[in-house]
Amino acid sequence: MSVNHIPEFHLAEKNGATLMLKSAGGHVAHIFVLEQDIIRVMVLPDAQLNFPRTWAIAPGAQPLPLEGRERLSLAGFSLPDFTLRKLDGVLQIQTEKIRLTVQLKGLFCSWETRPAGEWKELARDRSTQAVNFGYWDDKVYHYLKRDAEDEMYFGLGERSGDTNRHGRSFSLKTIDAMGYNASSTDVLYKHIPFYITWSKRQQAAFGLFYDTLSEGKLDMGCELDNYHGHYRYFVADHGDLDYYFIAGDSMEQVVQRYTWMTGKPAFTPKWGIGYSGSTMSYTDQPDAQEQMNGFLAGCEQHDMLCDSFHLSSGYTSIGNKRYVFNWNRDKFPDPKAFAEHYLQHGVRLCANIKPCLLQDHPRFSEAESLNLFIKNQDGKPEMVQFWDEVGAYLDFTNPDTIAWWKRGVTTSLLEYGIAATWNDNNEFQVLNPRATADGFGQRFKAVEAKGLQTLLMMAASREAQSEFAPGKRPYLVSRSGAAGMQRYVQTWSGDNYTSWQTLKYNIKMGLGLAMSGISNTGHDVGGFSGPAPSPELLLRWVQFGIFMPRFSIHSWNDDQTVNEAWMYPEITGAIRNLLKLRACLTPYFYDLLWRYHQHYEPMIKPTFLAFPNDPKCFSENDDMLIGPSLLLAAVAEPEQTSRTVYLPAGADWYDFWSGAHHQGGQEITLPAVGEQPPLLARAGSAMAINVAEQHFNRPAHQQGFMLFPHQHDGAFSVEFFDDDGDSNAYLDGKSSLWKIRVQSNAETLDIDLECSGIQPPSDLVTLLLPQHEMRQVVLSAAAILGDAIVNQRREIQLKIKLQSDPKFSIKEKIVSILKRFNQ
C-alpha cells in the first residue's frame, strides 16, 4: 500500500464495551473501554490477529491458564458505561477519566485526562503515518508526537542509564548481558514495553503498555526525522498493535493500575526478603558440599543473620559444564543430608535451574524422543550456543514439556529438601527465524515470543512447588522475564559488574523496574563479575542493598575471590550490624510486600513518584523511597564523608539516626561515615519492627514500632499486616492487623494501638520515638491497664489494650516500653 492512500474508517459495530472500526481497504480497529481509567486500542491491518493469545493481561487475581488468555477476552475488567459522540470525521469516546478522540481518516488518536477536574490533552499520534497499514513492511509501528521540552518518560523495566528515559532508544529484547555497563548497555534481561509519560506543564501522567512479546524497539526521542517533527515510537517485529492507555490522578496510581492489569504480585514467604548468601565459587569447587557447609560456619562465627542461600549451578556439573536436574555426587555426596543441614541452621536453599539441555546432557535423548525441544525447520531440536557448548531450549508451550519439567523440579530438588527454584539463563536466545514452538497445539515461530517461554518456565516451576507443598507459599527467583512476571517471582538486575558506576545506576535500574510493576527486586550486592569490590565499595553496596526487597551478596569474581560478608575484617562488624538492621526492619518490608501484593503499591520508588508537585524531585539523583516512611540517600561515590540530599517538599523529615527534625523543600548535608547510611524518616509515619536481639541460627521476634510524629498539630493512622510468614493460612483470615493512630499537638502525643486477628505470642510491645521527642505521651485504647509508667524523663500515661479477634480467647496482654532512639 502506498502512503499516499490514507485509509478512512467508519464505526461498523458497537458491542457493549467494544467498538469495531473498518476501512474500505479491509483494515479493522477495535477500541475497548475497559475501566474508567483504561482504554485499549487494537489495530489489525489485515483484519485478523497474528498472535491471538496474551500472557500479560490478568486483571487483579484473574486466573491465567498456562495456554494463555484469548486476546479478545474482556474478563476481569468492569466495562463501565461511556459516552460516544460521532462528529464530522471524528469519533469521541469519553469515560470519567479519559477522553479519546479518533480522526477516522488515518485513525489518528488524541488522549485527554482530567486528574484535577479539567480536561488536558496529554498525548497525540504523530500527524504523519502514525500506524503501519501495510505502508512499509509487516512490522508493527506506533508513532506519537513528542514534546521535547515538556515530557519525561519513566519505566520500561530494567534499563541502563538515567531514570528519565527521554532521548534514548531501547531494544525490546533479552540477552545474557554478563558484566554489563549499567549506564549504557542495551540489551539486558527483561522485556517490559510499558512506560509512563509525565507532562511538566500539565502536571499529569499516563501510561502506555504495548501487549507484545515480540522483539522490537521503543525510541523515546533518540531518532529525528525532519519530515515528521518530534516523535517517539514503538516498533515490534511480529504480532499486533495492541496497546493500553492508562490514566491516573497521580503517577503512582498509573503504576498501581498497570500492575493490577498485568496480575497480582506473588506474596512470597517472609524468609524470601531476608539476607540470601550466594556465590558461584563454592559449587565450582571439587569439595563443594564442604565449601557450602563452610558458609554456615562463617555465618555462625561472625554472627551474620542469613535466611536463604542461592545454590549456583555448579552442583549440576559434569566436568566444567552444567546439566539441569543432575547432581554431581563427587561434589555433593549426599544432597538430602546437605539440604537438611542447611534447614537445621534456618537457611533455605534456592537451587539454580536452566531451561537448556546441552547436546551431551544425560537426558537429552529422552527429551528429544518426547518432542520437548524448540524445533528447527527440519523438525530436529534447534541447537543454540549455551555457555561453553551447544544445546537446545526446552519448549514450555508444549504441555508435555511442562509436565516433564515439573517432575524434574520435584524429584531432583524438592524431594531432597530444596525449598525454592532459581530460574536462570532463561533469555531463550533463539536466532533461527524458521525455528518453531508447539504453541499448545498451534505452532508458531519461536522468535516471535521468546519471553513467553520465560514466563511459562516460571509458571511451571511455581506449579511444581505449589503441588509439592500446597500449604506453603512458593518462592522463586528469575533473572529474565516479561510483563506479568511479578505474578510468579522475585527478580534481580542480572550479572552486574563490580564498580561504583554499577552501584549508582543499579539504584535507577531498580526504580525503573518498580515503576513497571516489578517491585520485588534487588541486585547482586558487591558486583557479580569483574574484580573483587574494595572494602569501601562493598560497605556502601551493603548499606544500599539492605533496603532493597531482595538482598543477596553474590559473585563470580574474575580474580577467583568470593564476595562474603566477612571478607574484609575491617568492615565485618559494620556489615554484621547492617544485616541486623535489615532483620530489625523485616516487619516493615514484609508489610510493604503485602501492600504490593494486595494493593499493587510499589515497594520502592523515586521521590517524584510520591512528591510529583515538587519539581526538584524530578532532577536525576541517587535517592530512593522505601515504602511510605523511609528516604535512603545512598552513597554511590568513593571517599565521601558526607552526603547532600534534597528533602521533598510536602513533608517534614527526621534523621533516622539522630532524631533531628528537618523541614521539607530544602537541601541538607548528612554525615556518611561508619556503618550508618544517610537515612531519613517521614514525619507523620510509623514502621513495624522487630526489636528482639537476633543471632544466626537463633531467630527471635519481639513486636515493636517506630513512630515519627508531626512536630506540631497533626494526625496520622497506619496499619501493618503480619502472619506466620510462610503458609497460605492468611487466605482464611489467620493473620494479624496492627492499627496505630497518632494525634499530636505542641504539648502532647496521643497514641492508640490495636491488634486484631491472631494475637502476638509475646506480652511485650515496644514503641520507639525520636531521640529528641519530649512531649507528654498518652497511650489510649478501650481499657486502662495501668495508671502510669515512669520513663527516665517524664511520667507517661498508659491506656492500652490489644483487641482480640472474637474467634479467639481475649487475652489482656500488654507491657509498654517507651524507648528513645540510641538510648
Side-chain angles (χ1 to χ4, degrees):
M1 176 185 290
S2 169
V3 295
N4 293 323
H5 174 69
I6 299 177
E8 186 159 359
F9 286 79
H10 66 277
L11 180 61
E13 181 181 331
K14 180 182 182 298
N15 183 12
T18 305
L19 307 177
M20 179 187 289
L21 284 67
K22 292 184 177 180
S23 76
H27 315 303
V28 171
H30 296 277
I31 298 174
F32 307 90
V33 182
L34 303 176
E35 300 286 341
Q36 298 288 359
D37 54 357
I38 303 176
I39 292 181
R40 173 186 173 197
V41 175
M42 183 165 66
V43 181
L44 307 175
D46 297 323
Q48 62 182 7
L49 281 164
N50 292 308
F51 216 81
R53 290 181 176 268
T54 175
W55 282 262
I57 304 302
Q62 185 75 23
L64 186 70
L66 289 174
E67 61 271 20
R69 169 188 171 109
E70 292 288 346
R71 194 167 285 269
L72 293 175
S73 171
L74 304 182
F77 292 105
S78 66
L79 311 179
D81 292 334
F82 61 94
T83 301
L84 178 63
R85 298 184 181 92
K86 302 175 188 177
L87 308 175
D88 186 22
V90 170
L91 199 65
Q92 193 175 80
I93 299 105
Q94 182 175 318
T95 70
E96 292 178 4
K97 298 199 173 184
I98 299 175
R99 186 157 67 194
L100 166 62
T101 302
V102 184
Q103 293 183 33
L104 294 175
K105 186 171 184 178
L107 202 73
F108 296 100
C109 295
S110 64
W111 302 84
E112 298 170 89
T113 70
R114 53 174 181 184
E118 179 183 349
W119 288 107
K120 300 176 180 180
E121 182 177 289
L122 291 186
R124 177 178 289 272
D125 282 348
R126 193 180 73 176
S127 60
T128 51
Q129 300 94 43
V131 175
N132 181 19
F133 292 108
Y135 294 145
W136 314 293
D137 51 33
D138 294 329
K139 293 183 180 181
V140 177
Y141 296 84
H142 183 213
Y143 289 87
L144 287 161
K145 180 182 177 182
R146 176 175 61 90
D147 190 324
E149 300 299 322
D150 178 55
E151 293 173 342
M152 306 177 81
Y153 309 129
F154 304 104
L156 293 177
E158 170 192 79
R159 295 294 175 179
S160 63
D162 288 342
T163 311
N164 180 9
R165 314 302 192 192
H166 197 152
R168 290 194 60 191
S169 182
F170 300 95
S171 298
L172 286 175
K173 184 179 177 181
T174 59
I175 203 168
D176 186 345
M178 178 175 164
Y180 60 83
N181 184 314
S183 70
S184 61
T185 297
D186 181 60
V187 189
L188 294 174
Y189 302 92
K190 297 174 182 68
H191 182 289
I192 314 287
F194 167 75
Y195 70 97
I196 298 169
T197 298
W198 172 254
S199 168
K200 291 179 283 187
R201 183 178 62 254
Q202 305 281 27
Q203 291 286 289
F206 70 92
L208 274 183
F209 171 57
Y210 294 96
D211 186 5
T212 183
L213 287 162
S214 169
E215 292 184 350
K217 181 168 71 172
L218 270 159
D219 188 291
M220 315 309 294
C222 183
E223 180 178 296
L224 295 173
D225 188 331
N226 179 57
Y227 303 116
H228 297 280
H230 287 158
Y231 58 88
R232 51 188 150 135
Y233 70 96
F234 158 82
V235 58
D237 295 342
H238 310 283
D240 308 285
L241 179 57
D242 187 5
Y243 68 92
Y244 293 74
F245 181 97
I246 306 171
D249 293 335
S250 68
M251 203 181 316
E252 185 163 2
Q253 190 177 89
V254 173
V255 173
Q256 289 177 260
R257 292 297 277 166
Y258 165 76
T259 310
W260 168 84
M261 187 177 77
T262 53
K264 204 171 188 66
F267 189 37
T268 50
K270 187 180 291 185
W271 57 263
I273 55 175
Y275 165 52
S276 185
S278 189
T279 177
M280 288 195 67
S281 177
Y282 295 160
T283 58
D284 281 350
Q285 301 302 315
D287 59 342
Q289 188 164 334
E290 290 304 311
Q291 293 280 333
M292 287 290 300
N293 291 341
F295 173 81
L296 295 181
C299 287
E300 193 150 22
Q301 176 186 348
H302 299 286
D303 195 20
M304 297 290 182
L305 303 180
C306 184
D307 286 302
S308 66
F309 192 96
H310 280 57
L311 183 66
S312 291
S313 57
Y315 79 95
T316 69
S317 66
I318 301 175
N320 294 322
K321 294 182 287 187
R322 271 68 172 162
Y323 300 84
V324 66
F325 301 146
N326 175 71
W327 277 92
N328 184 318
R329 296 304 179 113
D330 294 327
K331 293 182 180 182
F332 290 89
D334 192 341
K336 285 188 178 181
F338 160 62
E340 179 60 29
H341 181 63
Y342 260 68
L343 288 173
Q344 288 172 356
H345 285 78
V347 181
R348 282 85 167 177
L349 290 169
C350 182
N352 187 286
I353 48 178
K354 305 182 189 301
C356 187
L357 271 59
L358 301 182
Q359 62 180 347
D360 57 350
H361 192 292
R363 301 180 65 181
F364 190 95
S365 296
E366 171 198 342
E368 183 178 12
S369 67
L370 295 171
N371 293 310
L372 304 186
F373 293 120
I374 293 172
K375 295 182 178 181
N376 65 17
Q377 58 272 23
D378 299 320
K380 301 294 185 182
E382 170 62 16
M383 304 305 290
V384 299
Q385 186 66 41
F386 193 80
W387 282 55
D388 298 324
E389 181 58 276
V390 294
Y393 283 110
L394 293 164
D395 178 8
F396 286 90
T397 68
N398 181 348
D400 293 338
T401 305
I402 292 172
W404 184 88
W405 181 261
K406 288 165 60 176
R407 286 194 300 272
V409 169
T410 302
T411 58
S412 67
L413 298 175
L414 305 180
E415 290 180 354
Y416 283 24
I418 305 294
T421 57
W422 171 8
N423 297 258
D424 200 17
N425 297 97
N426 50 353
E427 290 76 28
F428 285 83
Q429 292 179 224
V430 177
L431 301 178
N432 181 1
R434 293 180 291 176
T436 61
D438 179 79
F440 296 96
Q442 298 180 352
R443 297 200 75 84
F444 67 93
K445 294 179 179 179
V447 296
E448 293 182 2
K450 300 177 188 177
L452 171 56
Q453 299 285 351
T454 309
L455 286 172
L456 292 173
M457 177 189 178
M458 300 176 204
S461 298
R462 183 179 172 88
E463 279 196 1
Q465 292 175 225
S466 295
E467 291 170 6
F468 181 79
K472 300 289 185 180
R473 304 202 298 267
Y475 173 76
L476 301 87
V477 174
S478 178
R479 186 174 74 181
S480 187
M485 67 182 293
Q486 74 271 6
R487 301 189 297 261
Y488 308 113
V489 296
Q490 185 184 75
T491 189
W492 85 106
S493 59
D495 296 345
N496 55 4
Y497 186 79
T498 303
S499 70
W500 286 95
Q501 181 193 56
T502 302
L503 169 57
K504 183 181 185 69
Y505 284 98
N506 270 174
I507 297 171
K508 303 171 189 293
M509 207 173 277
L511 294 175
L513 274 170
M515 292 187 70
S516 307
I518 302 168
S519 269
N520 197 350
T521 183
H523 315 283
D524 280 351
V525 170
F528 178 76
S529 73
S534 67
E536 182 190 11
L537 177 55
L538 179 62
L539 181 60
R540 294 304 193 193
W541 217 316
V542 172
Q543 287 178 344
F544 161 66
I546 62 167
F547 292 99
M548 291 297 293
R550 178 185 187 265
F551 173 54
S552 179
I553 299 174
H554 184 39
S555 63
W556 188 22
N557 297 338
D558 295 348
D559 57 8
Q560 307 303 308
T561 56
V562 180
N563 290 355
E564 294 170 316
W566 50 85
M567 67 187 294
Y568 296 119
E570 63 267 37
I571 61 169
T572 295
I575 291 180
R576 176 192 306 115
N577 290 338
L578 287 166
L579 265 60
K580 291 193 175 185
L581 173 62
R582 168 63 176 228
C584 172
L585 298 177
T586 292
Y588 179 67
F589 277 94
Y590 191 58
D591 181 71
L592 295 183
L593 180 64
W594 168 255
R595 292 167 184 260
Y596 175 48
H597 167 76
Q598 193 71 7
H599 305 297
Y600 312 99
E601 298 176 12
M603 299 175 70
I604 57 173
K605 47 194 163 185
T607 55
F608 62 75
L609 201 66
F611 298 93
N613 295 325
D614 186 344
K616 292 185 178 180
C617 289
F618 287 90
S619 298
E620 285 292 331
N621 59 69
D622 302 327
D623 304 339
M624 180 177 76
L625 290 168
I626 305 106
S629 300
L630 290 178
L631 170 58
L632 176 68
V635 178
E637 304 286 347
E639 300 180 357
Q640 283 190 286
T641 58
S642 63
R643 170 67 154 82
T644 299
V645 57
Y646 176 74
L647 303 180
D652 287 351
W653 302 87
Y654 288 94
D655 185 312
F656 184 86
W657 305 107
S658 71
H661 180 266
H662 303 279
Q663 290 186 338
Q666 64 170 325
E667 192 172 79
I668 65 170
T669 299
L670 297 174
V673 294
E675 66 195 46
Q676 297 177 350
L679 184 65
L680 297 121
R682 183 175 181 172
S685 71
M687 295 169 53
I689 59 172
N690 180 6
V691 299
E693 185 176 349
Q694 298 188 71
H695 301 282
F696 176 69
N697 200 24
R698 298 196 299 277
H701 180 74
Q702 178 59 57
Q703 187 64 54
F705 299 94
M706 286 184 175
L707 308 181
F708 303 97
H710 295 286
Q711 282 285 291
H712 301 290
D713 290 348
F716 70 91
S717 61
V718 65
E719 296 180 349
F720 294 102
F721 173 89
D722 199 11
D723 68 348
D724 61 24
D726 194 43
S727 78
N728 291 313
Y730 74 97
L731 295 171
D732 298 321
K734 295 180 179 179
S735 60
S736 303
L737 187 66
W738 291 90
K739 299 180 181 179
I740 300 172
R741 292 172 288 274
V742 179
Q743 180 83 38
S744 63
N745 57 40
E747 292 82 28
T748 305
L749 297 179
D750 196 325
I751 303 171
D752 189 9
L753 176 65
E754 176 184 335
C755 181
S756 59
I758 302 296
Q759 294 294 285
S762 171
D763 290 346
L764 186 67
V765 175
T766 301
L767 303 181
L768 301 180
L769 292 166
Q771 183 177 353
H772 304 296
E773 179 58 68
M774 298 297 294
R775 286 173 285 185
Q776 182 183 16
V777 177
V778 178
L779 299 174
S780 59
I784 298 176
L785 299 187
D787 293 331
I789 63 172
V790 179
N791 181 270
Q792 291 180 353
R793 304 188 179 192
R794 66 184 63 246
E795 186 176 271
I796 300 174
Q797 296 178 359
L798 171 63
K799 300 180 181 179
I800 292 185
K801 178 179 177 181
L802 295 183
Q803 303 299 308
S804 297
D805 188 294
K807 293 184 291 186
F808 301 91
S809 61
I810 295 176
K811 188 177 181 182
E812 295 183 352
K813 51 179 186 175
I814 187 68
V815 177
S816 171
I817 298 178
L818 292 174
K819 292 185 177 178
R820 313 291 178 177
F821 294 167
N822 289 340
Q823 278 191 285

